[in-house]
């Protein structure tokens, strides 16, 4: 009934997903919320290195707004740094909101987190406005007890899905 | 002090509500968040039948933007299908965000969930924008362990409350 | 790496903060979410006295959009009342969304909660729009078991931080 969006999602749909619902998972759901609060704040405050460290060393960032996925933490950091520097130059403050979270556990122990992403943009001295509406689908894994993004796929609602 | 909005709210205000605060209820609060993530994604992705199944068979959907409430799952599904088809035709992607959740238990075991609802609209190839700001008040009941909406009341902020 | 914004944040950054991550704290994270749902709804529905009671008697509300901080519950209530009355006169419904929550425990037992704040404004009969994008940093303390705001600092993204 519900069609997966994008190639990545199609691949993931072939794997065993189990919706999280028991007590232990209450903790995971909230841990993901907390993780996103921290992760997005790092990006929006320009702490690009710390932000990139929320991805695995071999992490992938794919987006229908990008010509090709960024592969590896260093590439992800470089891409974000360029974007942040451009915003600083233009005097724009971005805020990335993630919400409407759904969390599922995958057969291999990874966590699939689906969110809506709203990007709000405010020019210094100007008017705040919605910049983009997107969906985000993450595959999160645990390293040394902390969640990290191993695969992120962002689809802007104004462009065709990947 | 705090005035209930709309007729439904007035009715509900006469019933015994107890604010949820203990450990068990932490689970309910989060279950409602998760439920909304799933429910809204179904609607926004056009999975109308699955979306209608998140209402009880005798569910009611009332809104100050509608001439009359939709009564029963079949009527709710039909209304949503018409709306989704119109959006597809216009090439518009809607995203329903629910947030600022308050959850209370009612004397009869139902759960009252109050949220703000922000509807974001993106035309294909165009610019995302806020479409509507609303409040939503749900009466949720449990069937076979799962939460379902028995009564939903949505009030758009631009129109007088019901 | 991550630069604190504003004077208050600089002061707080010198204090011992510990990120919340264990089971007990899952409850605190959610309690803060629930608290904000209730608090913002009170304000947006014009229940100004009840809203002011979510601050401590000696609470402080500082904002880069205000000429000086409001000190004490009575001053906070007076400021909010003036703002609410102006909105009623203009026929505007505001909605304050807080999201992207990060919660940390401070060495002195207080809870530091950081959020993004999106203010959405709808004129009666008109079009909803983003009014302001801000950050909010609260110091929350517990009195008689309930969380209260002892210090709030709001920074609008369009103005220089305090």
């Amino acid at each position: 009934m519900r069609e997966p969006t994008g190639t990545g999602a199609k691949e993931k749909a072939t794997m065993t997903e189990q919706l999280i619902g028991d007590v232990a998972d209450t903790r995971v759901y909230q841990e993901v919320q907390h993780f996103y609060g921290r992760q997005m704040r790092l990006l929006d405050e320009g702490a690009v290195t710390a932000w990139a460290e929320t991805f695995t060393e071999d992490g992938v960032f794919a987006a229908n707004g990008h010509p090709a996925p960024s592969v590896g933490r260093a590439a992800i950091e470089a891409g974000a740094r360029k974007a942040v520097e451009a915003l600083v130059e233009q005097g724009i403050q971005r805020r990335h909101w993630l919400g409407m979270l759904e969390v599922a556990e995958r057969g291999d122990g990874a966590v699939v987190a689906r969110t809506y992403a709203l990007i709000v943009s405010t020019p210094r001295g100007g008017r705040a406005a919605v910049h983009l509406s997107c969906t985000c689908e993450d595959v999160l894994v645990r390293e040394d007890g902390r969640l990290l993004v191993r695969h992120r796929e962002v689809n802007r609602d104004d462009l065709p899905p990947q």
Side-chain angles (χ1 to χ4, degrees), chain A:
Chain A
M1 179 57 53
R2 186 171 164 191
E3 297 174 38
T5 53
T7 315
K10 264 170 224 146
E11 282 169 11
K12 270 164 250 160
T14 64
M15 306 188 72
T16 309
E17 286 191 19
Q18 293 172 323
L19 271 180
I20 277 177
D22 61 11
V23 189
D25 297 323
T26 298
R27 218 176 342 165
V28 174
Y29 188 88
Q30 189 155 299
E31 191 182 0
V32 174
Q33 290 186 318
H34 209 162
F35 172 76
Y36 284 144
R38 177 171 168 271
Q39 192 194 38
M40 292 301 138
R41 196 167 274 106
L42 288 171
L43 179 62
D44 294 333
E45 294 185 353
V48 177
T49 304
W51 176 76
E53 284 166 356
T54 63
F55 289 79
T56 60
E57 189 61 44
D58 64 348
V60 175
F61 191 122
N64 67 345
H66 296 180
S70 297
V71 179
R73 193 184 276 161
I76 292 172
E77 179 175 346
R81 192 171 302 284
K82 207 173 149 187
V84 163
E85 285 172 355
L87 291 171
V88 167
E89 203 177 324
Q90 300 167 68
I92 290 173
Q93 177 65 58
R94 286 268 165 83
R95 299 284 171 201
H96 288 76
W97 289 67
L98 295 185
M100 306 313 286
L101 173 65
E102 273 191 287
V103 173
E105 270 178 348
R106 231 167 54 169
D108 61 356
V111 170
V112 178
R114 297 189 180 89
T115 48
Y116 287 177
L118 192 67
I119 307 177
V120 177
S121 210
T122 310
R124 183 58 57 90
R127 179 107 199 179
V130 171
H131 174 61
L132 287 175
S133 170
C134 310
T135 54
C136 179
E137 180 167 325
D138 281 348
V139 177
L140 303 169
V141 294
R142 206 173 287 279
E143 288 186 7
D144 301 324
R146 295 188 318 135
L147 290 176
L148 297 177
V149 180
R150 192 166 66 197
H151 190 280
R152 168 163 293 175
E153 181 176 324
V154 176
N155 277 289
R156 290 168 45 167
D157 284 336
D158 59 328
L159 302 179
Q162 285 193 303

